[in-house]
Amino acid sequence: MSTKRVVQAENAAWVGVVGNMFLAVIKGTFGWLAGSRALLADAAHSASDMVGWIAVLVGTRTAPSSDEEYAGRRKNAEYVGAIVISVLLLMLGLEIALSSLKTIYHGVGTPPSWYAAVIVLLTMIGKQLLAQYGKKPGRRLSDRLSVAGAWEGRSDVYSSLAAFIGIAGALAGSYYDIPQFYYLDAAAGLFISLLVLKTGYRLVAEAVNQTMDRLLHRDDIEELIRAVQCVKGVITVDDLKAKEQGHYVVVEAKISVNPKISVMEGSEIAKMVRHYLLKRFIHVSEVIVQVQPYDPGYPYKSSPEADADLYPTLLH
């Protein structure tokens, strides 16, 4: 992905973060003032959307340092932060669920204020505007953005509809003098809190998996290097990088071979390395091997005649 597209992706993620934070504050404030469990739960759902976009933002960021160890520590710190926020989100969802259950158990005496329904409708329009912004050309730039947007869109529909139905039903119960309908607001809050808990669990699981992958990354590379060194014809492994792509890994290796062998023999060694890694490591999806002649360097260089029998060829 080009630098311009990365910047556009980060901008889209920032809009998702700020937009959902604003909606969460509006819903939470008016939900508390109106006495609506459904609107409070919908505020928590917007907060879960915000955390999801923070995770996307972390995934699209690239560490500015060329120091891989520093970059790894920084990424791990970011994912640990995402875990902490996601756990807090789980606690918030659980608190709202318990509060809704207590309200249902002890009974509901009054419906929420009428403006709770207005706030739900206005915030639904705001969510649609955010969704349209994310669908503009040049902004749906990565799988993470697409997946986050798709999940957020489906979940938001359920959450907003549940909140509106719960609040409108409670208000209808007040208008037609049916007190039993007051429970619809608390029931909607309970349903939405379950959506929040599901989102929080998904974010925690994803962040934990990403953190564990990075913590084990160095050990994985060392194991891959040892495997390459076992292939006949490889003298040294000068460089090896493993890039994670979802649940799979792409390996880029630079090896040194006997400088006296032919280009075809060097190519055969590269093929052997590729096939060996793909066969031995089921999580490796692709291997790219760069072959170069081995150069012991000064002061170990000797005459060409002395080097002739130093390294055996692939065929001997």
Side-chain angles (χ1 to χ4, degrees), residues 164-312:
F164 183 76
I165 291 173
I167 295 171
L171 292 175
S174 176
Y175 183 81
Y176 292 105
D177 194 21
I178 308 177
Q180 291 79 6
F181 280 17
Y182 296 170
Y183 287 88
L184 290 176
D185 179 73
L190 178 61
F191 173 76
I192 298 171
S193 66
L194 296 178
L195 294 179
V196 174
L197 288 172
K198 182 177 180 180
T199 302
Y201 173 79
R202 179 177 58 87
L203 292 172
V204 169
E206 181 180 347
V208 169
N209 290 334
Q210 291 288 348
T211 303
M212 292 302 296
D213 286 344
R214 293 187 179 278
L215 290 174
L216 299 176
H217 193 58
R218 182 180 296 276
D219 294 335
D220 291 340
I221 290 180
E222 292 176 354
E223 186 177 0
L224 289 167
I225 291 176
R226 289 194 296 269
V228 174
Q229 290 171 335
C230 293
V231 178
K232 184 177 180 181
V234 176
I235 298 177
T236 61
V237 181
D238 300 315
D239 188 28
L240 189 144
K241 297 179 181 178
K243 300 179 180 179
E244 299 171 359
Q245 294 185 353
H247 298 292
Y248 298 96
V249 174
V250 175
V251 177
E252 297 180 6
K254 183 186 296 184
I255 62 174
S256 293
V257 299
N258 183 359
K260 301 300 180 180
I261 65 176
S262 66
V263 174
M264 182 178 295
E265 288 177 312
S267 187
E268 287 297 322
I269 294 175
K271 291 180 180 179
M272 290 170 60
V273 170
R274 181 178 182 274
H275 291 160
Y276 181 65
L277 293 182
L278 290 175
K279 182 178 180 180
R280 178 171 175 179
F281 302 97
I282 59 175
H283 63 285
V284 174
S285 61
E286 185 56 78
V287 179
I288 302 172
V289 183
Q290 180 181 347
V291 181
Q292 63 183 13
Y294 176 71
D295 182 5
Y298 180 84
Y300 302 104
K301 283 186 177 180
S302 56
S303 63
E305 292 77 9
D307 286 340
D309 298 326
L310 184 59
Y311 310 112

Side-chain angles (χ1 to χ4, degrees), residues 26-258:
I26 294 296
K27 293 177 182 179
T29 301
F30 284 95
W32 180 75
L33 293 175
S36 172
R37 300 291 177 184
L39 193 53
L40 286 173
D42 201 24
H45 190 274
S46 292
S48 71
D49 290 340
M50 180 188 68
V51 175
W53 282 107
I54 290 175
V56 173
L57 183 62
V58 170
T60 58
R61 292 183 62 185
T62 302
S65 173
S66 59
D67 187 341
E68 293 186 0
E69 184 176 356
Y70 168 77
R73 290 199 303 267
R74 176 174 176 173
K75 283 291 185 182
N76 288 333
E78 290 173 341
Y79 280 116
V80 169
I83 292 175
V84 173
I85 296 175
S86 301
V87 170
L88 293 176
L89 179 63
L90 280 173
M91 295 175 62
L92 176 61
L94 183 60
E95 175 63 26
I96 295 175
L98 292 176
S99 178
S100 299
L101 286 173
K102 289 180 181 179
T103 301
I104 294 174
Y105 178 78
H106 293 291
V108 183
T110 57
S113 300
W114 62 269
Y115 53 82
V118 177
I119 294 299
V120 171
L121 292 176
L122 292 177
T123 53
M124 287 175 66
I125 296 174
K127 289 296 297 186
Q128 287 301 314
L129 293 176
L130 284 176
Q132 291 302 317
Y133 176 86
K135 291 179 181 179
K136 287 184 179 180
R139 294 197 172 96
R140 288 187 61 190
L141 303 173
S142 67
D143 290 339
R144 291 181 65 86
L145 283 170
S146 299
V147 171
W151 163 256
E152 181 183 341
R154 290 194 300 269
S155 187
D156 278 336
V157 170
Y158 300 145
S159 177
S160 298
L161 284 178
F164 183 76
I165 291 173
I167 295 171
L171 292 175
S174 176
Y175 183 81
Y176 292 105
D177 194 21
I178 308 177
Q180 291 79 6
F181 280 17
Y182 296 170
Y183 287 88
L184 290 176
D185 179 73
L190 178 61
F191 173 76
I192 298 171
S193 66
L194 296 178
L195 294 179
V196 174
L197 288 172
K198 182 177 180 180
T199 302
Y201 173 79
R202 179 177 58 87
L203 292 172
V204 169
E206 181 180 347
V208 169
N209 290 334
Q210 291 288 348
T211 303
M212 292 302 296
D213 286 344
R214 293 187 179 278
L215 290 174
L216 299 176
H217 193 58
R218 182 180 296 276
D219 294 335
D220 291 340
I221 290 180
E222 292 176 354
E223 186 177 0
L224 289 167
I225 291 176
R226 289 194 296 269
V228 174
Q229 290 171 335
C230 293
V231 178
K232 184 177 180 181
V234 176
I235 298 177
T236 61
V237 181
D238 300 315
D239 188 28
L240 189 144
K241 297 179 181 178
K243 300 179 180 179
E244 299 171 359
Q245 294 185 353
H247 298 292
Y248 298 96
V249 174
V250 175
V251 177
E252 297 180 6
K254 183 186 296 184
I255 62 174
S256 293
V257 299
N258 183 359

